[in-house]
Amino acid sequence: MNDITAHILSRLTTVPDFLSGESLCREFRITRSAVWKHICLLRSDGYHIDAVTGRGYRLSGLTGRPVQAEVEPFLTGRRFGRNLAYHTVTASTNILAKAFAAEGAPEGSVVVADSQSGGRGRMGRTWVSPPGVNLYFSLILRPPVPSVRVPQLTLLVAVAIHQALCKLSADLVAMIKWPNDILVNGKKLCGVLCEMQSEPDFTHFVVVGIGININQSEFPALLQDSATSLFLERGRLFSRPELLASVLNHFEPIYDEWLLEDDLSFILPYLEAHSLLQSKEVTVDQLKRSMSGTVRGISRGGELMLESAEGEAILVSSGEAHLRTALS
Ligand code: BTN
């Protein structure tokens, strides 16, 4: 969608009634026939637009796609999501966002895609990203903090997503699984992949990639036991633009507060109250080793605090945690 078409769409979403063709001509300094061409482009893109002689144009149906014009009406923050680039398909929104960030895109810019051909998960895994159903987006941050603090962002984002989900569906029991997953009924609903470009005491930028399974009605056989969606859990469809905006709305103030703090103390009560792993026996797999113990909490620096069978305190800074069943 070109810039003027997108702006006309934005204008149409913000007026409750008809917008005259004349005012669009004036605002965008284009002819009436050019306005009409943009309206036709929007219609061919799936928007329902009424055209009435003497009154102008009125948007009567949205597409439900997470495009700027459909996300913007739900945004309440000042920065996050105000600059949003939508792609029908891309390899990975994280890859695109890193390129934008390297070119100087401002903090709060978002890259969102309807589908990803090479969606990436943690630990080299892929993130299955079919079109038309879920959210795949990446947020660009430029936190003025040393790179050692950056991993804490994953937990902050998990809190924001958790809050957005609870707001949208109050009876959904979602749990945060350290460090980056949201699970419902033991299955994964959402994952976060943070990537950064930094030097030890300077962070150039961080790209926070978020995938949320929203309206997907079935998963490939391999994922059926481990993945779920809001649709499968609640039995109804959810608005992708609204949820995207809500995650950004919740995250912006949490992020701003974190920048003023030295650590995660301010958010630990929330994290622990909704932690899947709290007080559970777990094994955490890292690339070359694994550690087991009972989860005693999350440290102010974001590490998982384990107590081993021998009573030794272990701080785990990264890895994949698994609940240990009675048999294992
Ligand atoms: C995980 O393994 O849990 C993290 C999954 C992160 C997936 C999201 S989808 C949007 C962004 N683009 C990617 O390629 N990955 C992240």
Side-chain angles (χ1 to χ4, degrees), residues 95-266:
I95 295 178
L96 261 189
K98 280 192 282 184
F100 284 154
E103 284 164 14
E107 176 162 271
S109 302
V110 169
V111 177
V112 55
D114 190 50
S115 70
Q116 298 182 119
S117 53
R120 295 158 11 147
R122 288 175 74 232
M123 301 185 149
R125 287 187 296 248
T126 55
W127 187 258
V128 178
S129 313
V133 282
N134 298 328
L135 271 176
Y136 321 108
F137 64 101
S138 303
L139 170 69
I140 295 171
L141 299 174
R142 299 186 179 279
V145 301
S147 56
V148 59
R149 282 195 71 196
V150 169
Q152 298 172 6
L153 281 168
T154 308
L155 289 162
L156 299 181
V157 177
V159 168
I161 298 168
H162 188 273
Q163 292 176 341
L165 290 169
C166 294
K167 190 166 177 204
L168 207 62
S169 181
D171 50 354
L172 185 82
V173 184
M175 303 301 285
I176 298 172
K177 178 168 168 270
W178 179 93
N180 80 318
D181 295 342
I182 306 275
L183 277 77
V184 176
N185 286 325
K187 294 183 178 183
K188 185 154 162 168
L189 183 87
C190 166
V192 180
L193 176 66
C194 283
E195 299 183 88
M196 67 171 154
Q197 194 182 90
S198 65
E199 294 162 38
D201 34 355
F202 183 73
T203 304
H204 294 278
F205 61 79
V206 180
V207 163
V208 181
I210 300 174
I212 311 178
N213 299 328
I214 301 189
N215 296 321
Q216 189 161 349
S217 58
E218 54 183 359
F219 285 88
L222 260 178
L223 294 178
Q224 265 165 24
D225 292 337
S226 58
T228 191
S229 69
L230 281 178
F231 175 78
L232 290 173
E233 296 301 327
R234 309 299 329 133
R236 69 174 176 91
L237 298 173
F238 287 80
S239 155
R240 289 185 291 161
E242 186 178 353
L243 185 56
L244 169 50
S246 185
V247 170
L248 299 172
N249 294 342
H250 281 92
F251 185 46
E252 192 169 329
I254 295 175
Y255 173 73
D256 286 343
E257 186 165 353
W258 176 74
L259 290 180
L260 298 173
E261 305 279 338
D262 292 330
D263 56 38
L264 293 174
S265 314
F266 72 104

